[in-house]
Structure formats: structure tokens, C-alpha cells
Amino acid sequence: LFFVLAFLIVALFVYMGRYSGRVNVEQSRFIAAAPEAVQAAVADLGRWQAWNPWLEHARDTPASVDGNILSWDLPQVGRARLRRLEARAPGSLRQHIDFKLPFALRGRSDWRFE
């Protein structure tokens, strides 16, 4: 019994050591609008609350926009901060996001508009 338990613990540590904690998710969506118009809507953080999936449960409570930073601390969805970075190339946009509550998570969003 001891050896089986020891083997399971070692196997768990090996599995955890291989997992980097990085996740890559890609999604495509066709929007019947000019790519420039869609990029302008995504880049305008003041309009994000109207369509942002993280804020869909808090449409009546405004999020805070300060230049290139959109932040929210709302009981319905938690606390987070999204920072827009400059476009790396025409038709692209990069953002960094930091979730604080209900869990800590840091991520990056790379947008392509074609």
C-alpha cells in the first residue's frame, strides 16, 4: 500500500511539473462590418461595457475608463483591469488583463482584424 501511494504522489508531481500554467485559446468570428470599424470599437474602452463578456451581468453599473485602462470592481463579476497597448501592426491590437477577484489571473489578448 505504501508503494502504491508513493507512486501516485510521484506521478502527481511529474504531471504538475509538466503543466506550465499557460493556455492558448483562439476564436474567430465573422462580423458584417469593415475591419477598421470593428478595430475602432474594440480599441474604444469606453464602449466595452456594452458588449464585454466579463461585464454582461453588470450592465447597469459603470466600469471605470482612464485613458488606456478599463477597470471594474463589481460584486456581480469581481475585480479586474484591462490595459490596451498600442497596435503592433495595422489590423492588430494587444491588451493585457489582470483579474484580481474572484480569482487571480493574468493574461494577454491579441486581436487581428481582417
Side-chain angles (χ1 to χ4, degrees):
L1 179 65
F2 172 75
F3 292 111
V4 171
L5 184 59
F7 174 76
L8 290 175
I9 291 173
V10 169
L12 177 66
F13 284 131
V14 168
Y15 173 76
M16 290 172 55
R18 293 187 60 207
Y19 179 67
S20 69
R22 294 182 182 260
V23 177
N24 184 27
V25 177
E26 291 189 29
Q27 184 176 12
S28 296
R29 185 165 294 170
F30 177 78
I31 299 173
E36 297 80 15
V38 177
Q39 183 174 0
V42 171
D44 184 0
L45 298 179
R47 294 171 34 191
W48 261 60
Q49 192 157 2
W51 61 271
N52 183 325
W54 298 301
L55 298 175
E56 69 183 343
H57 301 294
R59 299 278 188 237
D60 298 332
T61 308
S64 170
V65 177
D66 182 17
N68 290 338
I69 297 174
L70 169 69
S71 59
W72 59 90
D73 187 359
L74 307 170
Q76 304 95 320
V77 294
R79 180 174 44 200
R81 185 177 97 151
L82 179 109
R83 183 168 46 111
R84 185 186 72 222
L85 303 175
E86 295 304 317
R88 299 181 322 161
S92 71
L93 184 66
R94 176 171 278 182
Q95 299 170 329
H96 284 205
I97 187 159
D98 292 314
F99 286 100
K100 303 296 183 195
L101 290 174
F103 50 85
L105 174 75
R106 298 181 78 189
R108 181 183 81 201
S109 297
D110 289 309
W111 299 76
R112 286 188 322 233
F113 306 93
E114 302 173 341

Tab-separated table of all heavy atoms in Angstrom, residues 44-70:
chain	number	residue	atom	x	y	z
A	44	ASP	N	-11.849	51.238	-28.377
A	44	ASP	CA	-12.529	52.248	-27.564
A	44	ASP	C	-13.035	51.605	-26.274
A	44	ASP	O	-14.129	51.046	-26.230
A	44	ASP	CB	-13.687	52.847	-28.359
A	44	ASP	CG	-14.390	53.965	-27.611
A	44	ASP	OD1	-13.992	54.282	-26.471
A	44	ASP	OD2	-15.344	54.517	-28.177
A	45	LEU	N	-12.247	51.692	-25.225
A	45	LEU	CA	-12.607	51.043	-23.961
A	45	LEU	C	-13.867	51.621	-23.333
A	45	LEU	O	-14.532	50.952	-22.555
A	45	LEU	CB	-11.434	51.123	-22.980
A	45	LEU	CG	-10.160	50.406	-23.427
A	45	LEU	CD1	-9.064	50.586	-22.386
A	45	LEU	CD2	-10.428	48.941	-23.678
A	46	GLY	N	-14.204	52.843	-23.677
A	46	GLY	CA	-15.426	53.450	-23.164
A	46	GLY	C	-16.683	52.743	-23.650
A	46	GLY	O	-17.732	52.821	-23.016
A	47	ARG	N	-16.592	52.022	-24.772
A	47	ARG	CA	-17.751	51.298	-25.312
A	47	ARG	C	-17.746	49.817	-24.942
A	47	ARG	O	-18.658	49.086	-25.315
A	47	ARG	CB	-17.761	51.449	-26.837
A	47	ARG	CG	-17.992	52.876	-27.254
A	47	ARG	CD	-17.822	53.173	-28.714
A	47	ARG	NE	-18.209	52.123	-29.634
A	47	ARG	CZ	-17.935	52.132	-30.928
A	47	ARG	NH1	-17.267	53.139	-31.439
A	47	ARG	NH2	-18.308	51.148	-31.714
A	48	TRP	N	-16.731	49.360	-24.227
A	48	TRP	CA	-16.599	47.933	-23.932
A	48	TRP	C	-17.745	47.369	-23.115
A	48	TRP	O	-18.145	46.230	-23.294
A	48	TRP	CB	-15.281	47.673	-23.198
A	48	TRP	CG	-14.231	47.173	-24.104
A	48	TRP	CD1	-13.728	47.804	-25.195
A	48	TRP	CD2	-13.573	45.925	-24.017
A	48	TRP	NE1	-12.776	47.033	-25.786
A	48	TRP	CE2	-12.661	45.867	-25.074
A	48	TRP	CE3	-13.653	44.850	-23.141
A	48	TRP	CZ2	-11.833	44.779	-25.288
A	48	TRP	CZ3	-12.820	43.777	-23.349
A	48	TRP	CH2	-11.933	43.747	-24.420
A	49	GLN	N	-18.261	48.122	-22.186
A	49	GLN	CA	-19.284	47.571	-21.301
A	49	GLN	C	-20.538	47.154	-22.055
A	49	GLN	O	-21.265	46.277	-21.610
A	49	GLN	CB	-19.632	48.555	-20.183
A	49	GLN	CG	-20.454	47.891	-19.094
A	49	GLN	CD	-20.353	48.615	-17.782
A	49	GLN	OE1	-19.706	49.643	-17.675
A	49	GLN	NE2	-20.996	48.077	-16.779
A	50	ALA	N	-20.787	47.728	-23.207
A	50	ALA	CA	-21.979	47.373	-23.983
A	50	ALA	C	-21.895	45.951	-24.540
A	50	ALA	O	-22.917	45.328	-24.799
A	50	ALA	CB	-22.167	48.369	-25.124
A	51	TRP	N	-20.685	45.407	-24.706
A	51	TRP	CA	-20.572	44.082	-25.321
A	51	TRP	C	-19.546	43.170	-24.635
A	51	TRP	O	-19.422	41.996	-24.991
A	51	TRP	CB	-20.216	44.212	-26.805
A	51	TRP	CG	-18.907	44.902	-27.055
A	51	TRP	CD1	-18.704	46.240	-27.215
A	51	TRP	CD2	-17.627	44.287	-27.159
A	51	TRP	NE1	-17.373	46.495	-27.407
A	51	TRP	CE2	-16.684	45.304	-27.388
A	51	TRP	CE3	-17.171	42.970	-27.090
A	51	TRP	CZ2	-15.326	45.061	-27.535
A	51	TRP	CZ3	-15.810	42.723	-27.239
A	51	TRP	CH2	-14.911	43.758	-27.466
A	52	ASN	N	-18.823	43.655	-23.647
A	52	ASN	CA	-17.782	42.881	-22.977
A	52	ASN	C	-18.377	41.662	-22.269
A	52	ASN	O	-19.274	41.793	-21.444
A	52	ASN	CB	-17.089	43.786	-21.951
A	52	ASN	CG	-15.951	43.122	-21.245
A	52	ASN	OD1	-15.969	41.934	-20.963
A	52	ASN	ND2	-14.941	43.901	-20.942
A	53	PRO	N	-17.895	40.458	-22.565
A	53	PRO	CA	-18.470	39.271	-21.932
A	53	PRO	C	-18.256	39.214	-20.427
A	53	PRO	O	-19.057	38.627	-19.713
A	53	PRO	CB	-17.755	38.102	-22.624
A	53	PRO	CG	-16.532	38.690	-23.212
A	53	PRO	CD	-16.829	40.134	-23.499
A	54	TRP	N	-17.196	39.832	-19.899
A	54	TRP	CA	-16.966	39.821	-18.462
A	54	TRP	C	-17.931	40.744	-17.735
A	54	TRP	O	-18.175	40.581	-16.549
A	54	TRP	CB	-15.540	40.232	-18.129
A	54	TRP	CG	-14.529	39.301	-18.703
A	54	TRP	CD1	-14.431	37.951	-18.460
A	54	TRP	CD2	-13.509	39.603	-19.621
A	54	TRP	NE1	-13.407	37.419	-19.170
A	54	TRP	CE2	-12.810	38.417	-19.914
A	54	TRP	CE3	-13.097	40.769	-20.249
A	54	TRP	CZ2	-11.729	38.357	-20.762
A	54	TRP	CZ3	-12.025	40.702	-21.105
A	54	TRP	CH2	-11.358	39.519	-21.353
A	55	LEU	N	-18.464	41.731	-18.434
A	55	LEU	CA	-19.334	42.710	-17.784
A	55	LEU	C	-20.807	42.548	-18.153
A	55	LEU	O	-21.610	43.404	-17.836
A	55	LEU	CB	-18.861	44.123	-18.149
A	55	LEU	CG	-17.444	44.475	-17.688
A	55	LEU	CD1	-17.050	45.837	-18.222
A	55	LEU	CD2	-17.338	44.418	-16.186
A	56	GLU	N	-21.167	41.461	-18.811
A	56	GLU	CA	-22.547	41.306	-19.264
A	56	GLU	C	-23.553	41.225	-18.119
A	56	GLU	O	-24.715	41.526	-18.304
A	56	GLU	CB	-22.686	40.091	-20.173
A	56	GLU	CG	-22.515	38.762	-19.470
A	56	GLU	CD	-22.588	37.589	-20.437
A	56	GLU	OE1	-23.071	37.778	-21.559
A	56	GLU	OE2	-22.161	36.507	-20.053
A	57	HIS	N	-23.119	40.844	-16.923
A	57	HIS	CA	-24.038	40.747	-15.786
A	57	HIS	C	-24.088	42.037	-14.976
A	57	HIS	O	-24.745	42.088	-13.955
A	57	HIS	CB	-23.625	39.587	-14.879
A	57	HIS	CG	-23.605	38.277	-15.585
A	57	HIS	ND1	-24.742	37.678	-16.082
A	57	HIS	CD2	-22.588	37.456	-15.922
A	57	HIS	CE1	-24.429	36.546	-16.672
A	57	HIS	NE2	-23.125	36.386	-16.602
A	58	ALA	N	-23.394	43.056	-15.440
A	58	ALA	CA	-23.346	44.313	-14.688
A	58	ALA	C	-23.524	45.502	-15.617
A	58	ALA	O	-22.817	46.492	-15.512
A	58	ALA	CB	-22.016	44.401	-13.945
A	59	ARG	N	-24.456	45.411	-16.518
A	59	ARG	CA	-24.661	46.489	-17.499
A	59	ARG	C	-25.082	47.808	-16.849
A	59	ARG	O	-24.790	48.872	-17.367
A	59	ARG	CB	-25.723	46.082	-18.529
A	59	ARG	CG	-25.360	44.865	-19.340
A	59	ARG	CD	-24.449	45.208	-20.490
A	59	ARG	NE	-24.285	44.049	-21.355
A	59	ARG	CZ	-23.130	43.516	-21.653
A	59	ARG	NH1	-22.033	44.025	-21.178
A	59	ARG	NH2	-23.046	42.469	-22.430
A	60	ASP	N	-25.763	47.738	-15.707
A	60	ASP	CA	-26.264	48.952	-15.076
A	60	ASP	C	-25.241	49.646	-14.187
A	60	ASP	O	-25.450	50.774	-13.766
A	60	ASP	CB	-27.507	48.624	-14.236
A	60	ASP	CG	-28.635	48.087	-15.098
A	60	ASP	OD1	-28.691	48.443	-16.299
A	60	ASP	OD2	-29.444	47.293	-14.590
A	61	THR	N	-24.138	48.974	-13.878
A	61	THR	CA	-23.104	49.547	-13.019
A	61	THR	C	-21.899	49.894	-13.886
A	61	THR	O	-21.312	49.011	-14.492
A	61	THR	CB	-22.682	48.535	-11.938
A	61	THR	OG1	-23.846	48.068	-11.267
A	61	THR	CG2	-21.738	49.169	-10.944
A	62	PRO	N	-21.537	51.155	-13.970
A	62	PRO	CA	-20.471	51.531	-14.897
A	62	PRO	C	-19.095	51.056	-14.451
A	62	PRO	O	-18.770	51.057	-13.265
A	62	PRO	CB	-20.539	53.056	-14.916
A	62	PRO	CG	-21.173	53.428	-13.632
A	62	PRO	CD	-22.098	52.300	-13.257
A	63	ALA	N	-18.300	50.664	-15.426
A	63	ALA	CA	-16.893	50.380	-15.201
A	63	ALA	C	-16.127	51.690	-15.355
A	63	ALA	O	-16.648	52.670	-15.876
A	63	ALA	CB	-16.403	49.345	-16.203
A	64	SER	N	-14.907	51.720	-14.906
A	64	SER	CA	-14.099	52.933	-14.942
A	64	SER	C	-13.127	52.893	-16.122
A	64	SER	O	-12.436	51.898	-16.315
A	64	SER	CB	-13.323	53.047	-13.628
A	64	SER	OG	-12.364	54.059	-13.704
A	65	VAL	N	-13.091	53.975	-16.890
A	65	VAL	CA	-12.152	54.081	-18.009
A	65	VAL	C	-11.243	55.267	-17.744
A	65	VAL	O	-11.695	56.378	-17.517
A	65	VAL	CB	-12.886	54.270	-19.355
A	65	VAL	CG1	-11.882	54.440	-20.477
A	65	VAL	CG2	-13.809	53.111	-19.632
A	66	ASP	N	-9.933	55.006	-17.763
A	66	ASP	CA	-8.939	56.056	-17.574
A	66	ASP	C	-7.887	55.907	-18.664
A	66	ASP	O	-6.951	55.115	-18.536
A	66	ASP	CB	-8.310	55.944	-16.189
A	66	ASP	CG	-7.300	57.051	-15.925
A	66	ASP	OD1	-7.313	58.064	-16.648
A	66	ASP	OD2	-6.489	56.895	-14.999
A	67	GLY	N	-8.081	56.598	-19.769
A	67	GLY	CA	-7.146	56.512	-20.883
A	67	GLY	C	-7.152	55.131	-21.512
A	67	GLY	O	-8.144	54.713	-22.089
A	68	ASN	N	-6.048	54.406	-21.393
A	68	ASN	CA	-5.910	53.077	-21.979
A	68	ASN	C	-6.233	51.959	-20.998
A	68	ASN	O	-5.879	50.814	-21.243
A	68	ASN	CB	-4.488	52.876	-22.515
A	68	ASN	CG	-4.222	53.719	-23.734
A	68	ASN	OD1	-5.140	54.135	-24.431
A	68	ASN	ND2	-2.964	53.980	-24.000
A	69	ILE	N	-6.885	52.274	-19.882
A	69	ILE	CA	-7.169	51.275	-18.854
A	69	ILE	C	-8.661	51.236	-18.561
A	69	ILE	O	-9.278	52.263	-18.282
A	69	ILE	CB	-6.393	51.567	-17.562
A	69	ILE	CG1	-4.891	51.478	-17.836
A	69	ILE	CG2	-6.797	50.604	-16.457
A	69	ILE	CD1	-4.025	51.894	-16.680
A	70	LEU	N	-9.222	50.043	-18.643
A	70	LEU	CA	-10.610	49.784	-18.244
A	70	LEU	C	-10.536	48.941	-16.988
A	70	LEU	O	-9.865	47.907	-16.964
A	70	LEU	CB	-11.351	49.029	-19.349
A	70	LEU	CG	-12.729	48.462	-18.990
A	70	LEU	CD1	-13.728	49.595	-18.784
A	70	LEU	CD2	-13.211	47.521	-20.073
